[in-house]
Amino acid sequence: MKTKRILNLIVVAVAAMTLLITWNLFQSVPPVTAQQQTSLTVSAAISLSQALQEIKTVYQQINPNVTITYNFGASGALAQQIQQGAPVDIFFSAATKQMNDLQQSNLLINDTRRNLLTNRLVLITPKNGLALSDFKQLTDARIKKIAIGEPKSVPVGQYAQEMLNKLGLWRQIQPKLVLGNNVRQVLTFVESGNADAGIVYTTDAKASDKVTLRLTAAENLHSPIVYPLAVIGNSRNPAAAKGFVDFLGGDRAKIVFQKYGFGIAS
């Protein structure tokens, strides 16, 4: 009888030890991550690059499960890539034309489209270049080369052509034009002295200490400079993409955009 009681106690002790070991093993297993890692590809106008890089840092601190990859370039070239099936989640254009083209091709999630930012068109020269005070001075013989964006694919070039046409200068200065593939290339032409003047956005002029901003174009001389963005219809992660678009339209992102010289669209 006594032996049987001892055996029972041993069985209970072993069971208790087994339960304790199992519990400890369970406790040591890391919890399953609540949210899966998500990747977003954002195709954006190159004039947005500095602001968006800063915003990315802020956003990923709040949303560590979302990895954002940017594809910067001229809006026209980026829109063409999307039309050809490039895997893009969000498009952030420097003009409405390219966004309209995608919308007409049913490539957007329409209720995500919004006009977010504005910008201004300015004339710049190298740091110690000619002190121009009127766009008509671009016809001056001392101005040999004028850098602008390629009007067919680069929004800043489109706006520049509109302005120069309205001022009656387009034909006169055409022989002097040096065309850039994007606005940052236009800026580089002027910074390096390979152009005596250039037409860029306020934000690009502010980003460089190698150029001098000489003139700001009147807004009635060209189409409104508006930056729309939207989620692409074939986004692999539409929910996360909508979340990032909402963040870009929020107060924290607006502070960053304004820091870099952008206006906020009404």
Side-chain angles (χ1 to χ4, degrees):
M1 197 70 182
K2 188 174 180 180
T3 304
K4 186 175 181 181
R5 186 179 299 170
I6 292 170
L7 287 172
N8 287 339
L9 288 172
I10 292 171
V11 170
V12 170
V14 170
M17 184 65 72
T18 303
L19 181 63
L20 183 61
I21 292 170
T22 304
W23 172 254
N24 286 334
L25 287 172
F26 176 78
Q27 288 291 81
S28 68
V29 176
V32 177
T33 304
Q35 292 178 303
Q36 292 184 337
Q37 195 68 25
T38 301
S39 297
L40 294 177
T41 298
V42 181
S43 285
I46 200 167
S47 53
L48 293 160
S49 57
Q50 288 176 298
L52 285 180
Q53 291 289 11
E54 184 169 329
I55 288 169
K56 172 182 175 179
T57 301
V58 176
Y59 185 76
Q60 291 190 322
Q61 286 173 350
I62 303 168
N63 301 275
N65 61 304
V66 180
T67 300
I68 296 169
T69 301
Y70 289 126
N71 176 31
F72 293 115
S75 298
L78 297 175
Q80 189 173 40
Q81 291 170 9
I82 293 168
Q83 287 174 323
Q84 292 171 351
V88 175
D89 298 289
I90 297 168
F91 180 43
F92 202 163
S93 176
T96 56
K97 178 185 181 299
Q98 289 75 21
M99 193 67 79
N100 290 342
D101 290 344
L102 296 185
Q103 188 163 9
Q104 288 166 8
S105 299
N106 296 316
L107 295 176
L108 305 180
I109 298 178
N110 289 327
D111 62 358
T112 64
R113 178 176 175 172
R114 65 175 77 180
N115 291 334
L116 191 58
L117 305 174
T118 63
N119 216 330
R120 297 294 300 273
L121 199 65
V122 298
L123 178 68
I124 59 172
T125 66
K127 195 69 177 176
N128 298 313
L130 288 175
L132 304 178
S133 57
D134 193 311
F135 283 101
K136 292 180 181 178
Q137 290 177 291
L138 291 174
T139 61
D140 192 308
R142 292 174 295 174
I143 302 291
K144 308 289 186 187
K145 293 182 179 179
I146 304 164
I148 70 168
E150 164 57 65
K152 293 179 182 178
S153 60
V154 183
V156 74
Q158 169 199 327
Y159 299 129
Q161 183 178 30
E162 289 176 6
M163 178 194 67
L164 294 167
N165 266 325
K166 283 199 175 183
L167 292 172
L169 300 173
W170 179 250
R171 287 187 179 181
Q172 289 176 265
I173 68 167
Q174 266 192 301
K176 301 182 179 186
L177 294 181
V178 179
L179 303 181
N181 292 327
N182 57 62
V183 69
R184 289 302 167 95
Q185 188 173 52
V186 176
L187 180 66
T188 300
F189 286 153
V190 181
E191 287 178 327
S192 63
N194 288 321
D196 304 300
I199 298 173
V200 296
Y201 298 124
T202 296
T203 49
D204 299 290
K206 285 187 66 172
S208 175
D209 59 2
K210 297 177 183 178
V211 302
T212 299
L213 194 162
R214 300 295 183 181
L215 287 165
T216 300
E219 291 181 290
N220 63 358
L221 292 176
H222 55 77
S223 303
I225 301 176
V226 178
Y227 286 66
L229 78 162
V231 178
I232 302 303
N234 65 355
S235 168
R236 294 159 297 179
N237 300 295
K242 288 177 182 179
F244 188 51
V245 165
D246 288 341
F247 185 81
L248 290 173
D251 291 339
R252 294 186 71 171
K254 285 177 182 177
I255 290 170
V256 178
F257 286 128
Q258 288 174 317
K259 167 185 168 183
Y260 286 94
F262 291 97
I264 304 301
S266 55

